[in-house]
Amino acid sequence: MVDVLIIGSGIIGSSLARELSKTSASVLVLEKGNDVSVGTTKANSGIVHAGFDAKPGTRKAFFNVRGAKMYPVLAKELDFPFKKNGAFVLSFSKDGHDTLVDLLDRAEKNGVSGCEIISGDEIRKLEPNVSKEVVEGLYAKESGIVSPYEMCIAMAENAASNGVKFEFLKKVTNIEKQSNHFKVICEDCSSYEAKVVVNAAGCHADEINNMVSSRKYEIVARKGEYVLLDKEFSWVSSRTLFQLPTKMGKGILVSPTCHGNIIVGPTALDVDDKDLTWTTPSGLKEAWDKALLTVPNLPRGGIITQFSGLRAHTKEDDFVVGFAEDVKGFYNLLGIESPGLASSPAIAEFAANEIKEYLNLGVNPKFNPIRKGIKHISHMSSEELNEAIKENRQFGHVICRCEVVSEAEIREAIRRVPGAKDLDGVKRRVRAGMGRCQMGFCTPKIMEILAEELGESIEDVSKRGKGSEITIGRIKE
Amino acid sequence: MEKKVRLLIVGGGPAGLAAAVEAYDKGERDILILERENKLGGILNQCIHNGFGLHTFNEELTGPEYAQRFIDEVEKRKIAYLLNTTVIEVSDKKCVKALNEGGLLEIQAEAIILSCGCRERPRGAINIAGSRGAGVFSAGTAQKLVNIDGLMPGKEVVILGSGDIGLIMARRMTFEGAKVKAVVELMPYSSGLNRNIVQCLNDFNIPLLFSHTVVEIKGDNRVESVIIAEVDERLNPKMETAQEIKCDTLLLSVGLLPENELARGANVDISRITRGAVVDDRLMTNIDGIFECGNVLHVHDLVDFVSLEAREAGAKAVEYINSKDKNKKYESIAIETDGKVRYVVPELILKNDDSNPLTLKLRVSNVFKKVRLEVSVDNEVIYSRVKQVVAPGEMQTIDLKSEDVLKLRKANSIKVYLRSME
């Protein structure tokens, strides 16, 4: 029996796991995927919203503003990419003025500093590629960008090194409430007992909740499609460029990523299937066409990949954070859509405190808040490179030429806990394959390293777990 | 480790090898080739089909055999090379940083030849929608998996793009027991060599669908089918023609891009059309002493032409190193084209008195029939050849004699264009 069992290892589950590792609780995380950060967390805009957009008084507003303020310290402790790059909300006509004033008013009510309305010309002085059609906009200096999957991996690694256990390929199919605890049953027939169960199952959190609570929820997966540009085109913008928000969300943005690519998207379309992150011709076209309004000279030839993610939208339109009223010990973290990423540290802190109180937990005296990221040769000075190669010659063997990633980094990504088990896992940890050739050259080499490190046959190496094996076997001999 | 070398060659594929051999034969002894893979030969090592070397050796060789001929020449001359060594930076001062398991190398060169080849355009570059599981490969990646690693990418295959690698892989996958269901080509013509269409598709009854594209990839963890559709004249898919083809693999042969990230870092001017460097008739870039040749300069169809171009670069680099006045700037004139001729390499002709013969290489932008390919200097036609048909897939060459080259050098305007004969 563990004290706390968390279902889901996205940014919410992993952040909570790390918060709880500060306590005396024994914590187990069950993840249905092959790795952490494989759902909504891996495919979103990566924006740490300042908090001017959420309606004052909502949980979204509360957690967003608190969460955003926690980023600088967290990024330092956990060594993940984060940057305060500032953002604009752009208005294309004078009619938008009232909405901008409303946003500025929300900013004030939510306690967000550093916001002002400035003219189109002033915006273009800072971001020359912004369309001439933009007449004015809200400038939010506190807005930031983060690499969401790297943050999630950092959270999970730090949690694991402080005692949290992670288990993968564990799809929860039933939860039985016993007198003083829960029995959580998985698809593979394994079961686990826990005093507290936390529901951080992203788009599937409604199903998990509905297994035990009579207060039913319904999550609608709202798909967002993105395209990503090569780093060569980082000149497009150094700040995040939003358009005026609509009722479906914050609209199409154009933003740099922490690694210098340009991200364009997301669209917003409610879909039936909560796992199907396919892109569509119409979605990709919509994302691109709308982004052209923001930056008319957006270079189409610069696109290196497309992807889509799913927002966990509820009709209540606010986060659900807290113990279910009718089920003692069952804690919901549900409906965490934008600004969920920005809010995640605050949500985790809040939830951990409530669980701590409920279970009467003490502190973990051995908790170490520091997690060091994998050393990247692309960030090293000449001296550091020589030093690193002297220590481990594999730092001198470049595997991914586009992002300049060495064999040493890839092996480290696989050896960490929780470590990479497939090509996507390697990619998200050390960026091998994230570049302009999109794994064209390095696929066979990374397959070899994965097979060797995991002790599996090269035919079993997959893109993202079982069923996605890269090859179908040996050629005929 | 810091060292000096007179001629540094980045890339030990066909271009780098030929450049090194020629530079040696022109008298240069201080040459170093840096190669990122564990053997010399570049992409030829995975091209185990034959058809290489018809122009150079008058016989049909496989890729590795063709490479070996040049590797032997390099070995015979004892030209120095380093394997498993990746260049990570080239500066406009010709200082090169490279990494290998021994550490970081910092090398000051007098001249640099960039011969680092090209890469394949990935799925992302052509914006195909759909699922993102396994089973989508660029044709070259699949070729490496099959020919080098002995691994089979899939058994029911659709190939998008009829570039040469796509055509070659259609046959290769068929040999290995896969069923190639179709080769789908966006344009109304193939960008591959005619002989490859005959030998790789027709001989195996593999259908080639022109003016079609893949609009969507289906299947969750792995490709299960693709949706293809015909395109209109503006290359937009006509969705009413959409049809589904069951397959577990999609190979992409949708174009090659010169890999000029190192060149960009050295402030080399890059052509928007070829995506290679803008070079003068010495194959030298705007940065003194930095040369380009082979597929990093512009994508070639035949390795024979890569070797020829690389020899030229090797010779000119040696001339540059030995010239008394390295910094001497020559004025130059840019060759103009008419749009039907998409590009000409070299783009710049120097206004000096070098009277060597010169080969211009070019590609056209569409299929044209019954045309004359002409060069005019100040409106005087100095070269004219009848072409029954020209296509974007086949590089054209114009061999100019010394006296014509001298005319170019004195010209106020040089034009290369197609003239209709109808």
PDB file of all heavy atoms in Angstrom, chain B residues 15 24 42 50 56 68 100 126 138 214 230 271 294 341 345 368 397 421:
ATOM      1  N   ALA B  15      32.636  14.215 -53.465  1.00  0.00           N
ATOM      2  CA  ALA B  15      33.159  15.548 -53.772  1.00  0.00           C
ATOM      3  C   ALA B  15      34.475  15.793 -53.046  1.00  0.00           C
ATOM      4  O   ALA B  15      35.473  16.190 -53.654  1.00  0.00           O
ATOM      5  CB  ALA B  15      32.131  16.614 -53.398  1.00  0.00           C
ATOM      6  N   TYR B  24      46.061  17.437 -54.617  1.00  0.00           N
ATOM      7  CA  TYR B  24      47.356  16.765 -54.473  1.00  0.00           C
ATOM      8  C   TYR B  24      48.096  16.771 -55.813  1.00  0.00           C
ATOM      9  O   TYR B  24      49.278  17.107 -55.890  1.00  0.00           O
ATOM     10  CB  TYR B  24      47.141  15.342 -53.982  1.00  0.00           C
ATOM     11  CG  TYR B  24      48.423  14.593 -53.698  1.00  0.00           C
ATOM     12  CD1 TYR B  24      48.919  14.510 -52.401  1.00  0.00           C
ATOM     13  CD2 TYR B  24      49.139  13.970 -54.728  1.00  0.00           C
ATOM     14  CE1 TYR B  24      50.098  13.832 -52.130  1.00  0.00           C
ATOM     15  CE2 TYR B  24      50.323  13.298 -54.465  1.00  0.00           C
ATOM     16  CZ  TYR B  24      50.807  13.221 -53.166  1.00  0.00           C
ATOM     17  OH  TYR B  24      51.971  12.562 -52.903  1.00  0.00           O
ATOM     18  N   GLY B  42      31.056   8.737 -48.144  1.00  0.00           N
ATOM     19  CA  GLY B  42      29.795   9.473 -48.058  1.00  0.00           C
ATOM     20  C   GLY B  42      28.595   8.610 -48.375  1.00  0.00           C
ATOM     21  O   GLY B  42      28.562   7.416 -48.088  1.00  0.00           O
ATOM     22  N   ASN B  50      23.924  -0.431 -59.119  1.00  0.00           N
ATOM     23  CA  ASN B  50      24.950  -0.010 -60.066  1.00  0.00           C
ATOM     24  C   ASN B  50      24.467   1.155 -60.922  1.00  0.00           C
ATOM     25  O   ASN B  50      23.361   1.647 -60.752  1.00  0.00           O
ATOM     26  CB  ASN B  50      25.428  -1.184 -60.914  1.00  0.00           C
ATOM     27  CG  ASN B  50      24.309  -1.706 -61.796  1.00  0.00           C
ATOM     28  OD1 ASN B  50      23.186  -1.228 -61.744  1.00  0.00           O
ATOM     29  ND2 ASN B  50      24.627  -2.696 -62.613  1.00  0.00           N
ATOM     30  N   THR B  56      32.811   8.672 -65.970  1.00  0.00           N
ATOM     31  CA  THR B  56      34.182   8.786 -65.471  1.00  0.00           C
ATOM     32  C   THR B  56      35.029   7.578 -65.866  1.00  0.00           C
ATOM     33  O   THR B  56      36.168   7.711 -66.266  1.00  0.00           O
ATOM     34  CB  THR B  56      34.174   8.907 -63.931  1.00  0.00           C
ATOM     35  OG1 THR B  56      33.200   9.883 -63.567  1.00  0.00           O
ATOM     36  CG2 THR B  56      35.526   9.334 -63.403  1.00  0.00           C
ATOM     37  N   GLN B  68      35.286   3.582 -53.781  1.00  0.00           N
ATOM     38  CA  GLN B  68      36.557   2.927 -53.512  1.00  0.00           C
ATOM     39  C   GLN B  68      37.645   3.367 -54.490  1.00  0.00           C
ATOM     40  O   GLN B  68      38.804   3.523 -54.111  1.00  0.00           O
ATOM     41  CB  GLN B  68      36.388   1.398 -53.550  1.00  0.00           C
ATOM     42  CG  GLN B  68      37.535   0.641 -52.904  1.00  0.00           C
ATOM     43  CD  GLN B  68      37.759   1.031 -51.444  1.00  0.00           C
ATOM     44  OE1 GLN B  68      36.820   1.123 -50.668  1.00  0.00           O
ATOM     45  NE2 GLN B  68      39.008   1.311 -51.079  1.00  0.00           N
ATOM     46  N   ASN B 100      35.858  14.996 -32.270  1.00  0.00           N
ATOM     47  CA  ASN B 100      35.877  13.542 -32.338  1.00  0.00           C
ATOM     48  C   ASN B 100      36.195  13.009 -30.952  1.00  0.00           C
ATOM     49  O   ASN B 100      36.266  13.787 -30.001  1.00  0.00           O
ATOM     50  CB  ASN B 100      36.837  13.026 -33.420  1.00  0.00           C
ATOM     51  CG  ASN B 100      38.274  13.396 -33.149  1.00  0.00           C
ATOM     52  OD1 ASN B 100      38.675  13.603 -32.000  1.00  0.00           O
ATOM     53  ND2 ASN B 100      39.070  13.477 -34.207  1.00  0.00           N
ATOM     54  N   ILE B 126       6.929  19.140 -46.356  1.00  0.00           N
ATOM     55  CA  ILE B 126       5.876  19.119 -47.361  1.00  0.00           C
ATOM     56  C   ILE B 126       4.498  19.040 -46.719  1.00  0.00           C
ATOM     57  O   ILE B 126       3.498  18.863 -47.397  1.00  0.00           O
ATOM     58  CB  ILE B 126       6.076  17.965 -48.368  1.00  0.00           C
ATOM     59  CG1 ILE B 126       6.345  16.666 -47.619  1.00  0.00           C
ATOM     60  CG2 ILE B 126       7.210  18.244 -49.317  1.00  0.00           C
ATOM     61  CD1 ILE B 126       6.324  15.461 -48.497  1.00  0.00           C
ATOM     62  N   SER B 138      12.243   8.984 -44.848  1.00  0.00           N
ATOM     63  CA  SER B 138      12.779   9.517 -46.082  1.00  0.00           C
ATOM     64  C   SER B 138      13.456   8.337 -46.788  1.00  0.00           C
ATOM     65  O   SER B 138      13.916   7.397 -46.141  1.00  0.00           O
ATOM     66  CB  SER B 138      13.738  10.675 -45.828  1.00  0.00           C
ATOM     67  OG  SER B 138      14.798  10.278 -45.018  1.00  0.00           O
ATOM     68  N   VAL B 214       0.250  12.740 -51.677  1.00  0.00           N
ATOM     69  CA  VAL B 214      -0.306  12.134 -50.464  1.00  0.00           C
ATOM     70  C   VAL B 214      -0.865  13.266 -49.615  1.00  0.00           C
ATOM     71  O   VAL B 214      -0.151  14.211 -49.286  1.00  0.00           O
ATOM     72  CB  VAL B 214       0.780  11.366 -49.676  1.00  0.00           C
ATOM     73  CG1 VAL B 214       0.244  10.896 -48.325  1.00  0.00           C
ATOM     74  CG2 VAL B 214       1.279  10.184 -50.495  1.00  0.00           C
ATOM     75  N   GLU B 230      -5.347  13.496 -56.764  1.00  0.00           N
ATOM     76  CA  GLU B 230      -4.799  14.195 -57.918  1.00  0.00           C
ATOM     77  C   GLU B 230      -4.681  15.680 -57.557  1.00  0.00           C
ATOM     78  O   GLU B 230      -5.434  16.179 -56.726  1.00  0.00           O
ATOM     79  CB  GLU B 230      -5.787  14.020 -59.080  1.00  0.00           C
ATOM     80  CG  GLU B 230      -5.161  14.050 -60.443  1.00  0.00           C
ATOM     81  CD  GLU B 230      -6.206  13.790 -61.525  1.00  0.00           C
ATOM     82  OE1 GLU B 230      -7.039  12.868 -61.339  1.00  0.00           O
ATOM     83  OE2 GLU B 230      -6.187  14.528 -62.507  1.00  0.00           O
ATOM     84  N   SER B 271      22.495  30.983 -52.096  1.00  0.00           N
ATOM     85  CA  SER B 271      21.511  31.240 -53.156  1.00  0.00           C
ATOM     86  C   SER B 271      20.136  30.791 -52.689  1.00  0.00           C
ATOM     87  O   SER B 271      19.983  29.710 -52.131  1.00  0.00           O
ATOM     88  CB  SER B 271      21.902  30.470 -54.417  1.00  0.00           C
ATOM     89  OG  SER B 271      20.760  30.272 -55.227  1.00  0.00           O
ATOM     90  N   GLY B 294      30.123  19.876 -55.284  1.00  0.00           N
ATOM     91  CA  GLY B 294      29.261  18.714 -55.048  1.00  0.00           C
ATOM     92  C   GLY B 294      27.872  19.143 -54.608  1.00  0.00           C
ATOM     93  O   GLY B 294      27.435  20.255 -54.869  1.00  0.00           O
ATOM     94  N   VAL B 341      15.292  28.873 -67.320  1.00  0.00           N
ATOM     95  CA  VAL B 341      16.524  28.370 -66.714  1.00  0.00           C
ATOM     96  C   VAL B 341      16.474  28.811 -65.256  1.00  0.00           C
ATOM     97  O   VAL B 341      16.436  29.991 -64.962  1.00  0.00           O
ATOM     98  CB  VAL B 341      17.775  28.950 -67.409  1.00  0.00           C
ATOM     99  CG1 VAL B 341      19.040  28.581 -66.633  1.00  0.00           C
ATOM    100  CG2 VAL B 341      17.854  28.450 -68.833  1.00  0.00           C
ATOM    101  N   VAL B 345      25.217  27.503 -62.270  1.00  0.00           N
ATOM    102  CA  VAL B 345      26.384  27.440 -61.375  1.00  0.00           C
ATOM    103  C   VAL B 345      27.621  27.327 -62.248  1.00  0.00           C
ATOM    104  O   VAL B 345      27.646  26.469 -63.133  1.00  0.00           O
ATOM    105  CB  VAL B 345      26.303  26.236 -60.423  1.00  0.00           C
ATOM    106  CG1 VAL B 345      27.610  26.066 -59.661  1.00  0.00           C
ATOM    107  CG2 VAL B 345      25.144  26.406 -59.429  1.00  0.00           C
ATOM    108  N   PHE B 368      10.521  21.396 -71.116  1.00  0.00           N
ATOM    109  CA  PHE B 368      10.387  22.170 -72.352  1.00  0.00           C
ATOM    110  C   PHE B 368      10.832  21.302 -73.503  1.00  0.00           C
ATOM    111  O   PHE B 368      11.830  20.588 -73.423  1.00  0.00           O
ATOM    112  CB  PHE B 368      11.256  23.431 -72.297  1.00  0.00           C
ATOM    113  CG  PHE B 368      10.871  24.370 -71.182  1.00  0.00           C
ATOM    114  CD1 PHE B 368      11.618  24.403 -70.004  1.00  0.00           C
ATOM    115  CD2 PHE B 368       9.764  25.213 -71.294  1.00  0.00           C
ATOM    116  CE1 PHE B 368      11.275  25.259 -68.974  1.00  0.00           C
ATOM    117  CE2 PHE B 368       9.412  26.069 -70.264  1.00  0.00           C
ATOM    118  CZ  PHE B 368      10.167  26.089 -69.101  1.00  0.00           C
ATOM    119  N   THR B 397      24.567  20.885 -69.020  1.00  0.00           N
ATOM    120  CA  THR B 397      25.880  21.523 -68.920  1.00  0.00           C
ATOM    121  C   THR B 397      26.175  22.281 -70.203  1.00  0.00           C
ATOM    122  O   THR B 397      25.703  21.925 -71.279  1.00  0.00           O
ATOM    123  CB  THR B 397      27.004  20.490 -68.693  1.00  0.00           C
ATOM    124  OG1 THR B 397      26.919  19.506 -69.742  1.00  0.00           O
ATOM    125  CG2 THR B 397      26.874  19.804 -67.357  1.00  0.00           C
ATOM    126  N   MET B 421      11.791  26.983 -80.344  1.00  0.00           N
ATOM    127  CA  MET B 421      12.086  26.835 -81.773  1.00  0.00           C
ATOM    128  C   MET B 421      10.811  26.809 -82.588  1.00  0.00           C
ATOM    129  O   MET B 421      10.858  26.604 -83.801  1.00  0.00           O
ATOM    130  CB  MET B 421      12.871  25.540 -82.000  1.00  0.00           C
ATOM    131  CG  MET B 421      14.302  25.657 -81.502  1.00  0.00           C
ATOM    132  SD  MET B 421      15.086  24.056 -81.342  1.00  0.00           S
ATOM    133  CE  MET B 421      15.013  23.462 -83.009  1.00  0.00           C
TER     134      MET B 421
END
